[in-house]
Amino acid sequence: MVKIAAAIDTKEQILNVAERQFAEKGYAGTSLRGLIKEAEVNIAAVHYHFGSKEELYSAVVRRVAQQIVNAQQQELAKYENQEHICLENIVEAFIAPTLRIIPQMGEMGVIRAHFMGSCRTEPLPIQQFVDREFNENHQRFLDIFQRALPNQTRLELEWKLDIVIAVLIRTLNQVGQSGKLIAESDAEEVEIAIARLVKFVVRGMKSSCLQE
Amino acid sequence: MVKIAAAIDTKEQILNVAERQFAEKGYAGTSLRGLIKEAEVNIAAVHYHFGSKEELYSAVVRRVAQQIVNAQQQELAKYENQEHICLENIVEAFIAPTLRIIPQMGEMGVIRAHFMGSCRTEPLPIQQFVDREFNENHQRFLDIFQRALPNQTRLELEWKLDIVIAVLIRTLNQVGQSGKLIAESDAEEVEIAIARLVKFVVRGMKSSCLQE
DNA sequence: GTCTATAATTCGATAGAC
DNA sequence: GTCTATCGAATTATAGAC
Protein backbone atom coordinates (compact mmCIF):
# COMPACT_ATOMS: atom_id res chain seq x y z
CA MET A 1 0.00 0.00 0.00
CA VAL A 2 2.92 2.29 0.60
CA LYS A 3 3.93 2.22 -3.02
CA ILE A 4 0.61 3.00 -4.62
CA ALA A 5 1.43 6.69 -4.79
CA ALA A 6 4.72 5.86 -6.43
CA ALA A 7 2.95 3.53 -8.82
CA ILE A 8 0.62 6.27 -9.93
CA ASP A 9 3.59 8.50 -10.52
CA THR A 10 5.30 5.75 -12.48
CA LYS A 11 2.26 5.07 -14.59
CA GLU A 12 1.73 8.73 -15.34
CA GLN A 13 5.41 9.31 -15.99
CA ILE A 14 5.35 6.51 -18.56
CA LEU A 15 2.25 7.96 -20.20
CA ASN A 16 3.78 11.43 -20.40
CA VAL A 17 7.06 10.35 -21.92
CA ALA A 18 5.28 7.89 -24.21
CA GLU A 19 3.07 10.67 -25.53
CA ARG A 20 6.11 12.77 -26.38
CA GLN A 21 8.11 10.02 -28.02
CA PHE A 22 5.18 8.52 -29.92
CA ALA A 23 4.39 11.99 -31.22
CA GLU A 24 7.96 12.69 -32.30
CA LYS A 25 8.93 9.32 -33.71
CA GLY A 26 5.68 7.54 -34.41
CA TYR A 27 4.55 4.19 -33.01
CA ALA A 28 6.96 2.00 -34.95
CA GLY A 29 9.85 4.41 -34.54
CA THR A 30 9.57 4.45 -30.76
CA SER A 31 11.28 1.78 -28.68
CA LEU A 32 10.30 0.93 -25.13
CA ARG A 33 13.94 1.04 -24.13
CA GLY A 34 14.43 4.60 -25.32
CA LEU A 35 11.18 5.42 -23.62
CA ILE A 36 12.00 4.02 -20.19
CA LYS A 37 15.42 5.64 -20.33
CA GLU A 38 13.91 9.10 -20.61
CA ALA A 39 11.12 8.28 -18.15
CA GLU A 40 13.65 6.83 -15.71
CA VAL A 41 11.48 3.82 -14.98
CA ASN A 42 12.09 0.11 -15.29
CA ILE A 43 11.28 -1.74 -18.48
CA ALA A 44 9.16 -4.24 -16.57
CA ALA A 45 6.99 -1.42 -15.22
CA VAL A 46 5.67 -0.76 -18.72
CA HIS A 47 4.46 -4.32 -19.11
CA TYR A 48 3.17 -4.44 -15.55
CA HIS A 49 1.05 -1.31 -15.94
CA PHE A 50 0.04 -1.56 -19.58
CA GLY A 51 0.74 -5.08 -20.84
CA SER A 52 2.40 -4.33 -24.15
CA LYS A 53 3.68 -1.57 -26.39
CA GLU A 54 0.44 -1.54 -28.35
CA GLU A 55 -1.68 -1.28 -25.21
CA LEU A 56 0.53 1.54 -23.98
CA TYR A 57 -0.11 3.41 -27.20
CA SER A 58 -3.79 2.71 -26.84
CA ALA A 59 -3.75 4.11 -23.30
CA VAL A 60 -2.10 7.31 -24.51
CA VAL A 61 -4.68 7.66 -27.27
CA ARG A 62 -7.55 7.20 -24.82
CA ARG A 63 -6.20 9.84 -22.46
CA VAL A 64 -5.71 12.36 -25.25
CA ALA A 65 -8.98 11.58 -27.02
CA GLN A 66 -10.96 11.86 -23.80
CA GLN A 67 -9.69 15.37 -23.17
CA ILE A 68 -10.30 16.55 -26.71
CA VAL A 69 -13.70 14.98 -27.16
CA ASN A 70 -14.91 16.28 -23.80
CA ALA A 71 -13.79 19.79 -24.68
CA GLN A 72 -15.44 19.59 -28.10
CA GLN A 73 -18.70 18.24 -26.75
CA GLN A 74 -18.74 20.92 -24.08
CA GLU A 75 -18.47 23.57 -26.78
CA LEU A 76 -21.08 21.81 -28.88
CA ALA A 77 -23.54 21.70 -25.98
CA LYS A 78 -23.76 25.49 -26.11
CA TYR A 79 -25.38 25.35 -29.52
CA GLU A 80 -27.07 22.02 -30.10
CA ASN A 81 -30.29 23.02 -28.32
CA GLN A 82 -30.67 26.17 -30.35
CA GLU A 83 -33.31 26.21 -33.04
CA HIS A 84 -31.09 27.76 -35.67
CA ILE A 85 -27.64 26.23 -35.89
CA CYS A 86 -24.83 28.59 -36.90
CA LEU A 87 -22.21 26.77 -38.97
CA GLU A 88 -19.35 28.96 -37.79
CA ASN A 89 -20.06 28.02 -34.18
CA ILE A 90 -20.03 24.32 -34.93
CA VAL A 91 -16.84 24.43 -36.94
CA GLU A 92 -15.18 26.44 -34.20
CA ALA A 93 -16.45 23.97 -31.60
CA PHE A 94 -14.63 21.29 -33.56
CA ILE A 95 -11.37 23.12 -34.23
CA ALA A 96 -10.83 25.45 -31.29
CA PRO A 97 -10.68 23.07 -28.30
CA THR A 98 -7.82 21.10 -29.83
CA LEU A 99 -5.68 24.13 -30.58
CA ARG A 100 -6.47 25.89 -27.31
CA ILE A 101 -4.83 23.00 -25.52
CA ILE A 102 -1.47 24.39 -26.62
CA PRO A 103 -1.49 27.54 -24.48
CA GLN A 104 -3.61 25.93 -21.77
CA MET A 105 -1.28 23.04 -20.93
CA GLY A 106 2.00 24.90 -20.84
CA GLU A 107 4.99 22.91 -22.06
CA MET A 108 2.83 19.79 -22.34
CA GLY A 109 0.54 21.67 -24.74
CA VAL A 110 2.75 21.45 -27.80
CA ILE A 111 3.44 17.78 -27.10
CA ARG A 112 -0.24 16.98 -26.77
CA ALA A 113 -1.01 18.85 -29.98
CA HIS A 114 1.75 16.98 -31.77
CA PHE A 115 0.53 13.59 -30.59
CA MET A 116 -3.02 14.49 -31.43
CA GLY A 117 -1.94 15.14 -35.00
CA SER A 118 0.53 12.31 -35.40
CA CYS A 119 -1.75 9.59 -34.01
CA ARG A 120 -4.17 10.28 -36.85
CA THR A 121 -1.52 9.62 -39.47
CA GLU A 122 -0.36 6.29 -38.05
CA PRO A 123 -0.44 3.31 -40.42
CA LEU A 124 -2.76 0.39 -39.83
CA PRO A 125 -3.44 -1.37 -37.56
CA ILE A 126 -2.69 1.44 -35.09
CA GLN A 127 -4.88 3.86 -37.01
CA GLN A 128 -7.80 1.50 -36.51
CA PHE A 129 -8.11 1.92 -32.77
CA VAL A 130 -7.27 5.59 -33.01
CA ASP A 131 -10.28 6.04 -35.27
CA ARG A 132 -12.41 4.08 -32.84
CA GLU A 133 -11.78 6.70 -30.14
CA PHE A 134 -13.02 9.54 -32.33
CA ASN A 135 -15.72 7.90 -34.40
CA GLU A 136 -18.63 8.54 -32.03
CA ASN A 137 -17.60 12.17 -31.66
CA HIS A 138 -17.49 12.62 -35.43
CA GLN A 139 -20.98 11.19 -35.81
CA ARG A 140 -22.33 13.72 -33.32
CA PHE A 141 -20.71 16.56 -35.22
CA LEU A 142 -22.13 15.20 -38.46
CA ASP A 143 -25.59 15.27 -36.93
CA ILE A 144 -25.21 18.94 -36.06
CA PHE A 145 -23.74 19.75 -39.44
CA GLN A 146 -26.77 18.10 -40.97
CA ARG A 147 -29.00 20.53 -39.06
CA ALA A 148 -26.88 23.54 -40.00
CA LEU A 149 -26.78 22.51 -43.67
CA PRO A 150 -30.04 20.59 -44.26
CA ASN A 151 -29.82 20.67 -48.04
CA GLN A 152 -26.52 18.78 -48.19
CA THR A 153 -26.37 14.99 -48.20
CA ARG A 154 -24.80 13.01 -45.39
CA LEU A 155 -22.11 11.79 -47.77
CA GLU A 156 -21.22 15.33 -48.72
CA LEU A 157 -21.02 16.39 -45.10
CA GLU A 158 -18.86 13.37 -44.35
CA TRP A 159 -16.08 14.29 -46.73
CA LYS A 160 -16.36 17.93 -45.74
CA LEU A 161 -15.83 17.03 -42.10
CA ASP A 162 -12.95 14.92 -43.33
CA ILE A 163 -11.40 18.00 -44.88
CA VAL A 164 -11.74 19.87 -41.61
CA ILE A 165 -10.02 16.97 -39.88
CA ALA A 166 -7.28 17.01 -42.51
CA VAL A 167 -6.60 20.68 -41.90
CA LEU A 168 -6.55 20.17 -38.15
CA ILE A 169 -4.17 17.22 -38.34
CA ARG A 170 -1.75 19.10 -40.57
CA THR A 171 -1.82 22.13 -38.30
CA LEU A 172 -1.15 20.01 -35.22
CA ASN A 173 1.74 18.20 -36.86
CA GLN A 174 3.29 21.46 -38.02
CA VAL A 175 3.02 22.85 -34.51
CA GLY A 176 4.72 19.77 -33.12
CA GLN A 177 7.47 19.50 -35.71
CA SER A 178 8.59 23.07 -36.05
CA GLY A 179 6.27 25.46 -34.31
CA LYS A 180 5.30 26.65 -37.78
CA LEU A 181 1.90 28.31 -38.28
CA ILE A 182 1.91 29.15 -34.62
CA ALA A 183 5.22 30.83 -34.00
CA GLU A 184 4.46 31.71 -30.43
CA SER A 185 2.42 29.27 -28.44
CA ASP A 186 0.63 32.00 -26.58
CA ALA A 187 -3.13 32.29 -26.46
CA GLU A 188 -3.34 35.25 -28.81
CA GLU A 189 -1.48 33.57 -31.68
CA VAL A 190 -3.58 30.45 -31.27
CA GLU A 191 -6.83 32.40 -31.43
CA ILE A 192 -5.70 34.02 -34.67
CA ALA A 193 -4.88 30.62 -36.12
CA ILE A 194 -8.28 29.28 -35.08
CA ALA A 195 -10.08 32.22 -36.63
CA ARG A 196 -8.38 31.87 -39.99
CA LEU A 197 -8.84 28.12 -40.16
CA VAL A 198 -12.53 28.39 -39.24
CA LYS A 199 -13.09 31.09 -41.82
CA PHE A 200 -11.37 29.05 -44.51
CA VAL A 201 -13.27 25.83 -44.05
CA VAL A 202 -16.66 27.44 -43.37
CA ARG A 203 -16.52 28.94 -46.85
CA GLY A 204 -15.99 25.53 -48.38
CA MET A 205 -18.62 23.83 -46.30
CA LYS A 206 -21.38 26.29 -47.10
CA SER A 207 -21.19 25.74 -50.83
CA SER A 208 -23.06 22.63 -51.86
CA CYS A 209 -22.00 20.52 -54.81
CA LEU A 210 -25.49 20.90 -56.23
CA GLN A 211 -25.55 24.67 -56.05
CA GLU A 212 -23.84 27.00 -58.49
CA MET B 1 27.47 -7.26 -68.80
CA VAL B 2 25.00 -10.06 -69.22
CA LYS B 3 23.40 -9.31 -65.91
CA ILE B 4 22.83 -5.58 -66.34
CA ALA B 5 19.29 -6.18 -67.56
CA ALA B 6 18.64 -8.38 -64.55
CA ALA B 7 20.15 -5.71 -62.31
CA ILE B 8 17.77 -3.10 -63.65
CA ASP B 9 14.92 -5.45 -62.99
CA THR B 10 16.18 -6.08 -59.49
CA LYS B 11 16.60 -2.40 -58.74
CA GLU B 12 13.15 -1.56 -60.03
CA GLN B 13 11.59 -4.53 -58.30
CA ILE B 14 13.05 -3.32 -55.00
CA LEU B 15 11.77 0.20 -55.64
CA ASN B 16 8.27 -1.05 -56.45
CA VAL B 17 7.91 -3.28 -53.41
CA ALA B 18 9.56 -0.66 -51.19
CA GLU B 19 7.03 1.92 -52.33
CA ARG B 20 4.16 -0.34 -51.38
CA GLN B 21 5.51 -1.41 -48.02
CA PHE B 22 6.71 2.06 -47.00
CA ALA B 23 3.28 3.40 -47.89
CA GLU B 24 1.44 0.72 -45.93
CA LYS B 25 3.66 0.48 -42.87
CA GLY B 26 5.67 3.68 -42.83
CA TYR B 27 9.45 4.00 -42.86
CA ALA B 28 10.09 2.75 -39.33
CA GLY B 29 7.48 0.01 -39.60
CA THR B 30 9.04 -1.48 -42.71
CA SER B 31 11.89 -3.98 -42.44
CA LEU B 32 14.31 -4.74 -45.25
CA ARG B 33 13.84 -8.43 -44.59
CA GLY B 34 10.09 -8.32 -45.10
CA LEU B 35 10.73 -6.19 -48.15
CA ILE B 36 13.17 -8.53 -49.89
CA LYS B 37 10.92 -11.47 -49.14
CA GLU B 38 8.06 -9.95 -51.12
CA ALA B 39 10.38 -8.63 -53.81
CA GLU B 40 12.11 -12.00 -54.05
CA VAL B 41 15.57 -10.46 -54.13
CA ASN B 42 18.62 -10.89 -51.94
CA ILE B 43 19.15 -8.74 -48.88
CA ALA B 44 22.59 -7.72 -50.11
CA ALA B 45 21.07 -6.40 -53.33
CA VAL B 46 19.37 -3.61 -51.40
CA HIS B 47 22.65 -2.37 -49.95
CA TYR B 48 24.46 -2.86 -53.25
CA HIS B 49 21.97 -0.77 -55.23
CA PHE B 50 20.96 1.79 -52.63
CA GLY B 51 23.44 1.72 -49.75
CA SER B 52 21.09 1.79 -46.81
CA LYS B 53 17.44 1.69 -45.80
CA GLU B 54 17.33 5.47 -45.57
CA GLU B 55 18.83 5.91 -49.03
CA LEU B 56 16.33 3.41 -50.41
CA TYR B 57 13.50 5.46 -48.97
CA SER B 58 15.07 8.57 -50.43
CA ALA B 59 15.24 6.92 -53.85
CA VAL B 60 11.55 6.03 -53.70
CA VAL B 61 10.69 9.60 -52.72
CA ARG B 62 12.70 11.01 -55.60
CA ARG B 63 11.02 8.74 -58.14
CA VAL B 64 7.56 9.63 -56.89
CA ALA B 65 8.24 13.34 -56.46
CA GLN B 66 9.72 13.60 -59.93
CA GLN B 67 6.58 12.23 -61.53
CA ILE B 68 4.23 14.42 -59.51
CA VAL B 69 6.20 17.62 -59.80
CA ASN B 70 6.65 17.16 -63.55
CA ALA B 71 2.95 16.62 -64.02
CA GLN B 72 2.09 19.64 -61.87
CA GLN B 73 4.55 21.91 -63.65
CA GLN B 74 3.25 20.74 -67.02
CA GLU B 75 -0.25 21.79 -65.99
CA LEU B 76 1.04 25.03 -64.55
CA ALA B 77 2.84 25.88 -67.79
CA LYS B 78 -0.53 26.20 -69.51
CA TYR B 79 -1.43 29.20 -67.40
CA GLU B 80 1.67 30.92 -66.09
CA ASN B 81 2.21 32.98 -69.25
CA GLN B 82 -1.33 34.29 -69.25
CA GLU B 83 -1.88 37.87 -68.19
CA HIS B 84 -4.82 37.11 -65.94
CA ILE B 85 -4.29 34.12 -63.68
CA CYS B 86 -7.42 32.13 -62.83
CA LEU B 87 -7.20 30.73 -59.30
CA GLU B 88 -9.30 27.65 -60.10
CA ASN B 89 -6.87 26.62 -62.80
CA ILE B 90 -3.87 26.90 -60.49
CA VAL B 91 -5.49 24.99 -57.67
CA GLU B 92 -6.52 22.28 -60.09
CA ALA B 93 -3.01 22.20 -61.53
CA PHE B 94 -1.82 21.44 -58.02
CA ILE B 95 -4.42 18.88 -57.01
CA ALA B 96 -5.41 17.07 -60.18
CA PRO B 97 -2.12 15.53 -61.40
CA THR B 98 -1.60 13.68 -58.13
CA LEU B 99 -5.07 12.15 -58.06
CA ARG B 100 -5.14 11.37 -61.78
CA ILE B 101 -2.20 9.06 -61.20
CA ILE B 102 -4.62 6.60 -59.61
CA PRO B 103 -6.54 5.65 -62.77
CA GLN B 104 -3.55 6.28 -65.03
CA MET B 105 -1.16 3.80 -63.42
CA GLY B 106 -3.50 0.84 -63.00
CA GLU B 107 -2.88 -1.26 -59.92
CA MET B 108 0.25 0.75 -59.14
CA GLY B 109 -1.88 3.90 -59.02
CA VAL B 110 -3.40 3.37 -55.61
CA ILE B 111 -0.01 2.39 -54.19
CA ARG B 112 1.63 5.52 -55.58
CA ALA B 113 -1.15 7.67 -54.21
CA HIS B 114 -0.81 6.04 -50.83
CA PHE B 115 2.94 6.53 -50.70
CA MET B 116 2.57 10.09 -51.90
CA GLY B 117 0.31 10.77 -48.92
CA SER B 118 2.13 8.74 -46.31
CA CYS B 119 5.59 10.10 -47.08
CA ARG B 120 4.38 13.56 -46.12
CA THR B 121 3.33 12.41 -42.69
CA GLU B 122 6.60 10.69 -41.81
CA PRO B 123 8.32 11.84 -38.62
CA LEU B 124 11.66 13.62 -38.68
CA PRO B 125 14.29 13.15 -39.94
CA ILE B 126 12.62 11.36 -42.86
CA GLN B 127 10.16 14.21 -43.36
CA GLN B 128 13.10 16.55 -43.85
CA PHE B 129 14.30 15.10 -47.15
CA VAL B 130 10.76 14.51 -48.29
CA ASP B 131 10.11 18.24 -47.92
CA ARG B 132 13.30 18.98 -49.81
CA GLU B 133 11.92 17.20 -52.88
CA PHE B 134 8.79 19.34 -52.95
CA ASN B 135 10.01 22.67 -51.64
CA GLU B 136 11.01 24.17 -54.99
CA ASN B 137 7.71 23.13 -56.53
CA HIS B 138 5.77 24.77 -53.71
CA GLN B 139 7.65 28.02 -54.16
CA ARG B 140 6.69 28.11 -57.83
CA PHE B 141 3.06 27.57 -56.98
CA LEU B 142 3.27 30.30 -54.36
CA ASP B 143 4.58 32.68 -57.01
CA ILE B 144 1.59 31.97 -59.21
CA PHE B 145 -0.83 32.23 -56.31
CA GLN B 146 0.70 35.61 -55.57
CA ARG B 147 -0.20 36.73 -59.09
CA ALA B 148 -3.72 35.33 -58.88
CA LEU B 149 -4.31 36.90 -55.47
CA PRO B 150 -2.13 40.04 -55.44
CA ASN B 151 -3.77 41.59 -52.38
CA GLN B 152 -2.90 38.70 -50.06
CA THR B 153 0.44 38.53 -48.25
CA ARG B 154 3.00 35.84 -48.95
CA LEU B 155 2.53 34.51 -45.42
CA GLU B 156 -1.19 34.21 -45.93
CA LEU B 157 -0.72 32.36 -49.20
CA GLU B 158 1.79 30.07 -47.56
CA TRP B 159 -0.59 28.72 -44.96
CA LYS B 160 -3.37 28.54 -47.53
CA LEU B 161 -1.21 26.39 -49.78
CA ASP B 162 -0.46 24.36 -46.69
CA ILE B 163 -4.17 23.74 -46.24
CA VAL B 164 -4.42 22.56 -49.82
CA ILE B 165 -1.52 20.20 -49.16
CA ALA B 166 -3.22 18.97 -46.00
CA VAL B 167 -6.39 18.13 -47.89
CA LEU B 168 -4.43 16.36 -50.60
CA ILE B 169 -2.40 14.30 -48.14
CA ARG B 170 -5.51 13.21 -46.25
CA THR B 171 -7.26 12.25 -49.47
CA LEU B 172 -4.28 10.22 -50.68
CA ASN B 173 -3.97 8.39 -47.37
CA GLN B 174 -7.68 7.58 -47.32
CA VAL B 175 -7.43 6.21 -50.84
CA GLY B 176 -4.49 4.05 -49.84
CA GLN B 177 -5.89 2.79 -46.56
CA SER B 178 -9.44 1.97 -47.47
CA GLY B 179 -10.35 3.25 -50.90
CA LYS B 180 -12.59 5.73 -49.10
CA LEU B 181 -13.54 8.98 -50.84
CA ILE B 182 -12.80 7.30 -54.13
CA ALA B 183 -14.73 4.07 -54.03
CA GLU B 184 -13.93 3.12 -57.58
CA SER B 185 -10.52 4.01 -58.86
CA ASP B 186 -11.83 4.79 -62.30
CA ALA B 187 -11.20 8.07 -64.04
CA GLU B 188 -14.74 9.37 -63.63
CA GLU B 189 -14.83 9.02 -59.83
CA VAL B 190 -11.42 10.66 -59.58
CA GLU B 191 -12.50 13.65 -61.64
CA ILE B 192 -15.51 14.14 -59.39
CA ALA B 193 -13.26 14.06 -56.34
CA ILE B 194 -10.90 16.57 -57.93
CA ALA B 195 -13.75 18.93 -58.77
CA ARG B 196 -15.18 18.97 -55.26
CA LEU B 197 -11.80 19.41 -53.59
CA VAL B 198 -10.88 22.26 -55.94
CA LYS B 199 -14.19 23.97 -55.35
CA PHE B 200 -13.84 23.66 -51.59
CA VAL B 201 -10.37 25.11 -51.24
CA VAL B 202 -10.80 27.81 -53.89
CA ARG B 203 -13.56 29.31 -51.76
CA GLY B 204 -11.28 29.51 -48.79
CA MET B 205 -8.33 30.87 -50.71
CA LYS B 206 -10.23 33.72 -52.33
CA SER B 207 -11.31 35.26 -49.04
CA SER B 208 -8.55 37.35 -47.56
CA CYS B 209 -8.18 37.74 -43.81
CA LEU B 210 -8.33 41.51 -44.26
CA GLN B 211 -11.53 41.55 -46.26
CA GLU B 212 -15.10 41.25 -45.06
C1' DG C 1 5.19 -2.65 -7.42
C1' DT C 2 9.93 -2.81 -8.59
C1' DC C 3 13.94 -4.84 -10.04
C1' DT C 4 17.69 -7.88 -12.58
C1' DA C 5 18.60 -11.10 -15.84
C1' DT C 6 17.62 -13.15 -19.86
C1' DA C 7 14.90 -15.43 -23.36
C1' DA C 8 13.83 -15.36 -28.19
C1' DT C 9 13.63 -12.71 -32.20
C1' DT C 10 14.58 -9.38 -35.38
C1' DC C 11 17.02 -5.61 -37.08
C1' DG C 12 20.43 -3.14 -40.58
C1' DA C 13 24.69 -3.87 -42.47
C1' DT C 14 28.92 -6.24 -44.25
C1' DA C 15 32.62 -9.55 -45.63
C1' DG C 16 33.93 -12.48 -49.03
C1' DA C 17 33.16 -16.32 -52.42
C1' DC C 18 31.44 -16.79 -57.04
C1' DG D 1 25.70 -8.29 -59.73
C1' DT D 2 24.38 -11.98 -56.82
C1' DC D 3 24.73 -14.96 -53.16
C1' DT D 4 25.57 -17.20 -48.24
C1' DA D 5 26.88 -16.55 -43.82
C1' DT D 6 27.29 -13.85 -40.10
C1' DC D 7 28.28 -9.88 -37.04
C1' DG D 8 26.73 -6.82 -33.55
C1' DA D 9 23.24 -4.50 -31.82
C1' DA D 10 18.56 -3.70 -30.83
C1' DT D 11 13.86 -5.25 -30.17
C1' DT D 12 9.55 -6.87 -27.15
C1' DA D 13 8.47 -9.60 -23.61
C1' DT D 14 8.84 -12.57 -19.47
C1' DA D 15 10.43 -15.26 -15.36
C1' DG D 16 11.45 -14.89 -10.80
C1' DA D 17 13.75 -12.68 -6.69
C1' DC D 18 12.76 -9.00 -3.48
Side-chain angles (χ1 to χ4, degrees):
Chain A
M1 286 297 177
V2 197
K3 291 188 178 176
I4 287 179
I8 292 174
D9 285 352
T10 299
K11 199 168 176 178
E12 211 157 273
Q13 177 69 358
I14 293 171
L15 280 172
N16 289 338
V17 175
E19 187 172 329
R20 185 211 316 276
Q21 294 208 7
F22 281 140
E24 281 179 3
K25 302 185 280 191
Y27 173 78
T30 299
S31 76
L32 293 183
R33 302 183 103 91
L35 200 155
I36 57 136
K37 192 179 171 185
E38 183 185 335
E40 293 177 308
V41 298
N42 192 277
I43 175 74
V46 177
H47 294 96
Y48 175 81
H49 287 290
F50 299 98
S52 69
K53 182 185 176 184
E54 231 181 55
E55 290 174 283
L56 169 60
Y57 192 92
S58 196
V60 176
V61 171
R62 272 196 303 276
R63 187 175 70 158
V64 173
Q66 187 176 338
Q67 182 192 24
I68 301 292
V69 169
N70 282 348
Q72 284 178 329
Q73 292 296 326
Q74 194 174 331
E75 282 296 305
L76 203 60
K78 296 180 184 173
Y79 311 109
E80 64 182 352
N81 287 328
Q82 292 181 358
E83 198 165 334
H84 172 70
I85 304 290
C86 173
L87 182 63
E88 279 82 354
N89 290 340
I90 309 303
V91 171
E92 182 167 329
F94 190 85
I95 291 178
T98 310
L99 291 176
R100 289 206 181 108
I101 279 174
I102 300 169
Q104 278 169 5
M105 293 187 74
E107 59 177 336
M108 191 70 187
V110 173
I111 296 168
R112 177 136 305 185
H114 194 186
F115 180 84
M116 180 67 191
S118 74
C119 76
R120 315 238 19 190
T121 61
E122 284 288 343
L124 295 171
I126 302 295
Q127 186 57 40
Q128 211 162 3
F129 53 81
V130 173
D131 281 342
R132 178 157 35 85
E133 294 295 326
F134 294 100
N135 187 31
E136 189 181 330
N137 183 246
H138 291 168
Q139 294 305 320
R140 279 194 220 139
F141 268 95
L142 279 173
D143 292 339
I144 306 289
F145 282 135
Q146 192 85 77
R147 289 175 58 196
L149 302 165
N151 52 354
Q152 295 191 27
T153 68
R154 186 81 171 187
L155 186 66
E156 189 172 355
L157 292 174
E158 275 174 11
W159 64 257
K160 282 182 175 178
L161 173 60
D162 210 65
I163 288 181
V164 179
I165 293 169
V167 171
L168 194 51
I169 291 172
R170 176 83 175 174
T171 303
L172 294 168
N173 277 330
Q174 301 276 43
V175 169
Q177 275 197 358
S178 61
K180 198 182 157 190
L181 283 187
I182 301 179
E184 308 277 334
S185 296
D186 61 8
E188 194 181 348
E189 284 272 352
V190 168
E191 290 304 321
I192 292 172
I194 291 170
R196 73 191 189 199
L197 292 181
V198 169
K199 189 177 178 187
F200 189 103
V201 298
V202 160
R203 291 251 171 171
M205 290 194 74
K206 276 182 176 169
S207 71
S208 170
C209 284
L210 306 175
Q211 303 163 0
E212 176 241 358
Chain B
M1 285 300 175
V2 197
K3 290 189 178 174
I4 288 178
I8 292 172
D9 286 351
T10 298
K11 199 168 175 178
E12 212 157 273
Q13 177 69 358
I14 293 172
L15 279 173
N16 290 338
V17 175
E19 187 172 329
R20 184 212 316 277
Q21 294 208 6
F22 282 140
E24 283 179 3
K25 302 184 280 191
Y27 173 79
T30 300
S31 75
L32 293 182
R33 304 183 110 93
L35 199 155
I36 58 138
K37 191 180 173 185
E38 183 185 335
E40 293 177 309
V41 299
N42 192 277
I43 175 74
V46 177
H47 294 96
Y48 176 81
H49 287 290
F50 299 98
S52 69
K53 183 186 176 184
E54 229 181 57
E55 289 173 283
L56 170 60
Y57 192 92
S58 197
V60 176
V61 171
R62 272 196 302 278
R63 186 174 73 158
V64 172
Q66 187 177 337
Q67 182 192 24
I68 301 292
V69 169
N70 282 348
Q72 284 177 328
Q73 292 297 325
Q74 195 174 331
E75 282 297 304
L76 203 59
K78 295 180 185 173
Y79 311 110
E80 64 183 351
N81 287 329
Q82 292 180 356
E83 198 164 336
H84 172 71
I85 305 289
C86 173
L87 181 63
E88 279 84 353
N89 290 340
I90 309 302
V91 171
E92 182 167 331
F94 190 85
I95 290 178
T98 310
L99 290 176
R100 289 206 180 109
I101 279 174
I102 299 168
Q104 278 169 5
M105 293 188 74
E107 60 177 335
M108 191 70 187
V110 173
I111 296 167
R112 178 136 307 183
H114 194 187
F115 179 84
M116 179 68 191
S118 73
C119 76
R120 314 235 27 187
T121 61
E122 284 287 345
L124 295 172
I126 301 295
Q127 186 57 38
Q128 210 162 5
F129 53 81
V130 173
D131 282 341
R132 177 157 37 84
E133 294 295 325
F134 294 100
N135 186 33
E136 188 182 328
N137 184 247
H138 291 170
Q139 294 305 321
R140 279 195 220 139
F141 269 95
L142 278 174
D143 291 339
I144 306 290
F145 282 134
Q146 191 85 78
R147 289 175 57 197
L149 302 164
N151 52 354
Q152 295 191 26
T153 68
R154 186 79 170 188
L155 186 68
E156 189 172 354
L157 292 174
E158 275 175 10
W159 64 257
K160 282 183 175 178
L161 173 60
D162 209 66
I163 288 181
V164 179
I165 294 170
V167 171
L168 194 51
I169 291 172
R170 174 84 175 173
T171 303
L172 293 167
N173 278 329
Q174 300 275 43
V175 169
Q177 277 197 356
S178 62
K180 197 183 159 190
L181 283 187
I182 302 179
E184 308 277 332
S185 296
D186 62 7
E188 195 182 347
E189 285 271 354
V190 169
E191 291 303 321
I192 293 171
I194 291 169
R196 72 190 189 199
L197 292 182
V198 169
K199 188 178 177 186
F200 189 104
V201 297
V202 160
R203 292 251 171 172
M205 290 194 74
K206 276 182 177 168
S207 71
S208 170
C209 285
L210 306 175
Q211 300 166 1
E212 181 243 359

